[in-house]
Amino acid sequence: MALYTDPNWKPAVSYEELAIKGWNHGIAEINGENLAFKIEDKLAFEFPLNSVSNCTGQKNEATLEFHSNEDAPVNLVEMRFHMPQDVNAEEEIDRVEEFKKAVMEYAGIVTETDLPLAYFTQLLCATPRGRYDVKVFPTHLSFHGKTYDYKINYRSVDRMFLLSHKDGRHVFFVLSINPPIRQGQTRYPFIVFEFSKEDLVEFDVNMSPELLEKTYDGKIASHHSGPVHEVFSKFLRVLTGKKVTVTGTFVSKQGNQSIDCAYKQAAGFLFPLEKGFVYVHKPPMYIRFEEILSINFERSDLTTRTFDFEIDLKNGQTVTFNSIDKDENNHLIDYVRSKGLNVRNARKTQDIKGRSGGDDFDPYREALKKDAVSDDDEDESEDEDYDVEKDEKKLENSSGSSSESSESEGEEEGDD
């Protein structure tokens, strides 16, 4: 090969022996814009750092996240390096932090040096929990938190939901993403923002009005002002090209568009929408109607204050939402029947005891009323047994009868 390459190629071709032992411990070196992993001074593998989308460090471990390639059937998503501290070192050096700085210098997120279209500070995330500064770029979102940083391409956004909180002062904005973001071993396929309706924002977009008109067909104005959740959701609706799903026509007994419930002992809210159920927020989930095999109302015919809402999926799994107030039983039954879902044992509350109490009937409340009535009857019977006036009348009658009997006896003796 050297006979051909030496006269025809300008760079000289050198021989390099590769590591073939298969060890997983060695030295990670950053040579320019590439990272090389060597075992006993022999190259094991090498990759360009511009393929890295993010680098995070925690204790003695550094994690590299790579850009996804939708055209490739298999992707390298993540790589981790364990870096123990050198106990013999004179100065304590954070090797993970030094490695992170070196990687991020050439990582594929250098495009963030450009000005973002919009910049939202300290947005509250319920999942993953924390506050993040979010930069809105033409092709992706950039999250910067206290510990973790994320980059989300708009192509990875599947769905978006804007859900009203039951208190009327907050809203949830949910992003469904694929592939999910990671924090250590935990994956987050949903990002849940919690906005206050009272929080306002006003800014100018970092792009000329002419370029905005040409690029986005006038869908993004050069100046924005209003509630943060409205401005933020409008940006993502235009940039992702996906519609934002809002709460549907369902109204609970309390007049809310969600139902208070729990999933595996974690309290949350279940939102019945037009094409599925959304639960926030531990863990967030979206269940489409087309995935549902049947629905079961568990413990709805017992004299308990709550019942369980079980959803059997076509893949064999069962999702159970528990601790739902019995007052929501009839509203939820009417909703699932209106959507044409298969319900196994739906029994309305008024049908349980054969009464016509309507939506206000509660077996638990009726049982308490019965106990109260029985207690009142016992108290009245006890009062009748110990009536003082009746006892006095009885005594007078008995004394009068005894005096009459004594007088009659005296008259009889006188006659004798």
Side-chain angles (χ1 to χ4, degrees):
M1 182 179 291
L3 296 176
Y4 173 79
T5 58
D6 289 345
N8 295 288
W9 293 0
K10 288 185 179 180
V13 178
S14 60
Y15 174 78
E16 184 174 0
E17 186 177 358
L18 300 179
I20 58 175
K21 290 186 176 181
W23 293 354
N24 63 347
H25 56 87
I27 298 175
E29 296 180 352
I30 297 179
N31 301 323
E33 298 183 2
N34 297 326
L35 187 146
F37 188 78
K38 294 184 177 181
I39 300 174
E40 293 183 341
D41 294 331
K42 297 178 182 179
L43 182 64
F45 60 85
E46 186 180 22
F47 59 85
L49 290 176
N50 59 9
S51 61
V52 177
S53 63
N54 193 19
C55 179
T56 59
Q58 191 172 11
K59 294 183 179 180
N60 295 332
E61 186 177 81
T63 303
L64 300 180
E65 298 177 9
F66 296 90
H67 295 293
S68 60
N69 186 359
E70 297 181 355
D71 298 329
V74 180
N75 284 279
L76 177 62
V77 177
E78 185 180 271
M79 183 180 296
R80 298 184 181 184
F81 294 97
H82 178 70
M83 300 179 180
Q85 297 294 333
D86 188 1
V87 295
N88 298 323
E90 297 180 358
E91 297 181 1
E92 185 176 352
I93 301 176
D94 192 345
R95 299 178 60 190
V96 174
E97 188 64 26
E98 294 295 328
F99 178 80
K100 177 182 175 182
K101 291 180 180 179
V103 170
M104 296 296 284
E105 184 177 355
Y106 299 102
I109 57 176
V110 293
T111 55
E112 291 191 5
T113 56
D114 300 333
L115 288 176
L117 296 177
Y119 183 47
F120 298 88
T121 60
Q122 294 297 297
L123 296 186
L124 176 61
C125 275
T127 304
R129 190 162 186 82
R131 289 189 176 272
Y132 294 87
D133 295 335
V134 180
K135 296 179 181 179
V136 181
F137 290 91
T139 58
H140 67 276
L141 285 176
S142 175
F143 289 69
H144 178 68
K146 186 177 181 180
T147 306
Y148 295 96
D149 296 334
Y150 304 106
K151 176 184 175 183
I152 300 176
N153 291 319
Y154 296 137
R155 292 179 299 177
S156 63
V157 177
D158 291 336
R159 293 177 180 85
M160 296 180 291
F161 304 92
L162 189 62
L163 310 172
S164 300
H165 197 283
K166 60 175 293 185
D167 60 8
R169 297 178 299 162
H170 296 82
V171 292
F172 294 109
F173 185 69
V174 183
L175 287 177
S176 174
I177 56 176
N178 186 23
I181 60 176
R182 289 178 173 82
Q183 281 189 6
Q185 298 286 352
T186 307
R187 295 185 177 187
Y188 294 96
F190 292 90
I191 299 178
V192 181
F193 294 94
E194 185 174 349
F195 294 100
S196 174
K197 292 183 178 181
E198 298 178 355
D199 292 341
L200 304 177
V201 67
E202 183 176 2
F203 61 88
D204 293 325
V205 179
N206 292 320
M207 185 178 288
S208 63
E210 295 78 11
L211 189 56
L212 281 174
E213 179 69 27
K214 180 180 179 181
T215 307
Y216 302 107
D217 296 330
K219 296 179 180 179
I220 297 180
S222 59
H223 180 78
H224 286 269
S225 63
V228 179
H229 68 278
E230 293 183 0
V231 177
F232 187 71
S233 60
K234 183 178 181 180
F235 262 98
L236 293 189
R237 179 172 56 84
V238 175
L239 295 174
T240 61
K242 305 288 180 64
K243 66 177 183 179
V244 179
T245 303
V246 297
T247 48
T249 58
F250 175 82
V251 179
S252 67
K253 176 69 175 180
Q254 287 75 25
N256 303 319
Q257 293 181 305
S258 63
I259 296 176
D260 293 353
C261 61
Y263 177 76
K264 294 183 179 180
Q265 309 304 321
F269 305 99
L270 181 65
F271 290 86
L273 304 181
E274 295 302 318
K275 295 184 179 180
F277 296 96
V278 173
Y279 176 78
V280 292
H281 60 90
K282 284 187 177 181
M285 64 182 74
Y286 174 55
I287 304 175
R288 302 191 306 272
F289 290 155
E290 59 189 34
E291 300 175 333
I292 298 176
L293 179 63
S294 63
I295 289 178
N296 179 30
F297 288 79
E298 187 69 23
R299 299 190 303 113
S300 62
D301 56 345
L302 302 177
T303 57
T304 56
R305 302 182 65 178
T306 61
F307 68 96
D308 298 342
F309 185 63
E310 296 182 352
I311 301 177
D312 297 329
L313 303 179
K314 294 180 181 179
N315 59 7
Q317 297 180 352
T318 300
V319 181
T320 303
F321 301 101
N322 51 59
S323 301
I324 302 178
D325 195 287
K326 189 63 69 69
D327 291 339
E328 306 294 349
N329 182 76
N330 295 351
H331 292 74
L332 202 52
I333 289 177
D334 293 338
Y335 167 78
V336 296
R337 283 178 173 172
S338 66
K339 299 302 179 182
L341 300 176
N342 181 25
V343 184
R344 284 190 290 166
N345 64 339
R347 298 181 63 188
K348 288 196 173 183
T349 306
Q350 62 265 29
D351 297 332
I352 296 174
K353 297 294 183 180
R355 301 192 180 192
S356 58
D359 295 341
D360 296 331
F361 177 75
D362 188 349
Y364 181 78
R365 185 166 56 246
E366 293 296 324
L368 292 179
K369 288 182 179 179
K370 284 184 178 180
D371 294 339
V373 171
S374 61
D375 292 340
D376 293 340
D377 293 340
E378 292 178 359
D379 294 339
E380 291 177 358
S381 62
E382 291 176 356
D383 292 340
E384 290 178 357
D385 294 339
Y386 296 96
D387 193 340
V388 178
E389 294 181 357
K390 289 184 178 180
D391 290 342
E392 291 178 352
K393 289 181 180 180
K394 289 180 180 179
L395 291 174
E396 291 177 358
N397 293 333
S398 61
S399 61
S401 59
S402 61
S403 61
E404 290 177 357
S405 61
S406 60
E407 290 177 357
S408 60
E409 290 177 356
E411 291 177 356
E412 291 177 356
E413 291 177 356
D415 293 338
D416 293 339

